[in-house]
Amino acid sequence: NFKLIPLPLPKAHYFNGHRLPATYLNFVFINNAILLPTYNDSTNDKKAYKILSKEIKDRKIIPIDASIFIREHGSLHCASINHYY
């Protein structure tokens, strides 16, 4: 089965005059948990946490401040990829 789960958008973030790609969709599945990027947006960070907690009950949701990652136009998923050459 495939189920779309709508998530809110965090408030807009800017760095050096450029809008940054903040999104809660860049979460990362790990063993028995999900790493959820957060962006110092108390309202929408909490909404995203509650939605994922309700929809994905078999994993612990771990919020991680990803504000620094989006400055490089990525997020948690970019920091978690293993590259093999």
Side-chain angles (χ1 to χ4, degrees), residues 38-82:
T38 59
Y39 303 99
N40 297 310
D41 179 346
S42 60
T43 300
N44 291 310
D45 288 354
K46 287 177 187 176
K47 283 181 186 178
Y49 178 88
K50 287 180 184 180
I51 291 167
L52 286 179
S53 295
K54 178 183 172 191
E55 295 291 337
I56 307 173
K57 296 178 181 173
D58 64 335
R59 294 177 187 254
K60 180 179 179 181
I61 309 301
I62 303 171
I64 306 281
D65 182 1
S67 300
I68 196 75
F69 290 116
I70 59 174
R71 288 184 184 180
E72 296 297 325
H73 299 278
S75 194
L76 289 179
H77 71 287
C78 296
S80 65
I81 295 174
N82 287 322

